[in-house]
Amino acid sequence: MIVVTGGCGFIGSAFVLGWLGPRAEPVLNLDLLTYAGHPGNLAPVQDDARYRFCRGDIGDAVLVGRLLAEHRPRAIVNFAAESHVDRSIADPLAFAQTNVMGTLRLLQASLDYWKSLPAAEAAGFRFVHVSTDEVFGSLAPDAPAFTEQHRYEPNSPYSASKAASDHFVRAWHHTYGLPVLITNCSNNYGPRQFPEKLIPLVIHNALREQPLPVYGDGRQVRDWLYVEDHCTALEAVLERGAVGETYNVGGRAERTNMQVVHALCAILDELRPRAGGKPHADLVTHVKDRPGHDRRYAIDDGKLATELSWKPSIGFEQGLRRTVQWYLDNGDWVESVTSGSYRQWVERQYEGLAPTA
Ligand code: NAD
Ligand code: DAU
């Protein structure tokens, strides 16, 4: 069996569902169920004998040690993290706590477990750490995309905490021999993404006739990857990746934020026209920029493509349409996750951000 951490979140839940689709091999999901974790994301497998869930903290080394000894996984895929840049600016310590100290304690427990395994099992064991392209910092408009050799230059509390965790994971391989692999992926989008991130926030607000907040001039560039393609990349890295290596994962779909927002508005105009027929793009509102906002990310996925034969299968326009349709079909999910604490966050984050255009 394998252990997944953070499996009730956006990418983790897509991974678990994708994993259990064609496989008999069970998954144990360890998730603390923070505001971002929803057991309902895994409703399709909740009664499946191959799926087990434990509510707990990756930073609880005693719990993790017990789970590993009991379930004897052949791999751990670590998704658990605080993941939203704006929240990291508002509350950086929570990011150090989970992303740095949590990962460190998870590594410690994993190392103890790995050392206890018979030689054959130890040789096959893998620890996959799911990280981000944001550790590389910001690219100039005409600079080549990030390769695995790009230096680490994290600019936000979030990316600094992920960079720190990557360094610890690397060190646990170099110093203690733990068989680790690290992935650095670009912006994901798709079903079940919490509506604090750009794409689900825009869909959510547009459906409620609320302003669509664009930070600064909206010309920041991200490289968008449909979440299921990220999951197939992680499967490839887990099954065929070289121990100790890092792999960049990207969507080959660089878009400015304005392009993304306008593409969403056009799809919504078609699938859910506004009463009165005005375009959704009329709701776009430029607001104060994010402090330290990275201008551009872009991924060179050549290593993953060449060595592990992976490529994304879902184009950006196709994936965006699927995503909008999912949110239109799953209003109950959105209602259930946008509880009181969500509303408080939105009020704090967007109130007082005066429109600048
Ligand atoms: P998410 O915020 O949707 O989900 C995070 C999950 O981790 C939640 O289920 C939460 O309950 C759980 N969690 C948080 N702290 C925990 C702890 N201490 N112990 C156990 N569980 C805990 O995040 P996501 O967007 O699915 O991202 C998953 C991972 O992928 C993160 O490590 C993130 O840095 C990385 N990543 C995300 C993206 C993206 O675009 N979303 C891109 C590249 C990499
Ligand atoms: O690059 C990978 C990273 O992508 C992941 O590691 C992070 O976990 C994930 O949150 C994401 O980070 P971003 O900061 O790029 O994603 P976000 O959806 O928050 O913002 C995307 C872009 O849109 C960014 O330039 C900021 C902008 N934005 C975002 C919000 C929430 C707006 O203009 N308005 C908004 O209201």
Side-chain angles (χ1 to χ4, degrees):
M1 67 116 58
I2 66 164
V3 166
V4 162
T5 71
C8 292
F10 164 51
I11 306 173
S13 59
F15 183 84
V16 171
L17 294 174
W19 183 269
L20 291 177
R23 289 180 186 78
E25 188 175 22
V27 176
L28 168 68
N29 173 18
L30 170 66
D31 194 303
L32 188 55
L33 298 183
T34 68
Y35 78 95
H38 299 280
N41 288 348
L42 290 164
V45 294
Q46 69 186 6
D47 298 322
D48 191 313
R50 296 167 302 162
Y51 175 66
R52 284 153 221 182
F53 174 67
C54 173
R55 182 176 190 184
D57 191 335
I58 55 165
D60 183 343
V62 174
L63 170 69
V64 176
R66 185 172 59 69
L67 288 174
L68 296 179
E70 212 172 285
H71 295 278
R72 300 183 66 81
R74 70 172 176 100
I76 298 173
V77 186
N78 181 31
F79 294 92
E82 290 293 338
S83 69
H84 190 36
V85 173
D86 294 318
R87 285 184 190 256
S88 82
I89 295 166
D91 182 14
L93 293 189
F95 285 68
Q97 188 60 38
T98 288
N99 300 0
V100 185
M101 289 311 297
T103 304
L104 188 46
R105 294 204 174 100
L106 179 67
L107 280 168
Q108 222 20 8
S110 304
L111 180 62
D112 289 345
Y113 165 69
W114 176 67
K115 282 198 207 148
S116 76
L117 291 173
E121 282 176 51
F125 182 78
R126 298 288 182 268
F127 183 104
V128 177
H129 181 60
V130 182
S131 192
T132 171
D133 60 355
E134 300 202 11
V135 299
F136 299 125
S138 186
L139 285 169
D142 52 352
F146 299 129
T147 67
E148 287 78 2
Q149 277 69 49
H150 202 281
R151 66 180 279 199
Y152 272 38
E153 287 180 317
N155 290 320
S156 72
Y158 164 69
S159 54
S161 70
K162 291 296 290 187
S165 69
D166 291 8
H167 292 322
F168 277 114
V169 172
R170 177 190 155 87
W172 256 239
H173 173 64
H174 193 79
T175 302
Y176 305 111
L178 187 70
V180 309
L181 302 105
I182 298 174
T183 57
N184 294 97
C185 186
S186 64
N187 286 63
N188 286 214
Y189 68 101
R192 297 179 299 274
Q193 187 170 31
F194 195 69
E196 62 186 353
K197 309 278 166 64
L198 179 69
I199 287 179
L201 181 90
V202 164
I203 299 170
H204 178 263
N205 284 14
L207 294 175
R208 285 159 189 75
E209 295 282 323
Q210 289 166 0
L212 311 180
V214 171
Y215 297 160
D217 64 7
R219 296 210 182 112
Q220 303 81 6
V221 174
R222 298 291 183 265
D223 179 353
W224 294 96
L225 177 68
Y226 194 69
V227 64
E228 287 173 12
D229 278 329
H230 185 185
C231 295
T232 62
L234 290 168
E235 289 169 10
V237 168
L238 170 59
E239 303 301 8
R240 307 192 294 281
V243 165
E245 291 294 314
T246 71
Y247 296 89
N248 283 359
V249 189
R252 306 177 186 179
E254 284 188 59
R255 299 286 186 283
T256 65
N257 293 338
M258 284 303 276
Q259 286 174 322
V260 171
V261 172
H262 280 281
L264 286 168
C265 288
I267 296 171
L268 284 163
D269 287 345
E270 186 191 323
L271 299 182
R272 186 65 64 83
R274 290 174 77 189
K278 281 191 181 168
H280 284 93
D282 282 1
L283 296 169
V284 170
T285 307
H286 287 267
V287 298
K288 201 171 85 185
D289 210 349
R290 172 186 278 175
H293 199 171
D294 284 337
R295 201 67 187 161
R296 174 175 169 242
Y297 307 138
I299 283 283
D300 178 339
D301 68 6
K303 179 175 174 181
L304 189 60
T306 311
E307 295 184 13
L308 304 186
S309 308
W310 174 90
K311 61 175 185 202
S313 66
I314 297 160
F316 184 66
E317 280 67 29
Q318 183 193 6
L320 210 55
R321 189 169 277 273
R322 267 196 210 183
T323 303
V324 172
Q325 192 62 59
W326 188 88
Y327 281 89
L328 290 175
D329 294 343
N330 289 275
D332 291 354
W333 181 90
V334 176
E335 281 306 316
S336 74
V337 305
T338 49
S339 63
S341 74
Y342 172 79
R343 280 194 285 275
Q344 281 161 20
W345 161 254
V346 167
E347 246 168 60
R348 275 203 309 276
Q349 174 66 7
Y350 295 100
E351 202 188 28
L353 294 184
T356 57

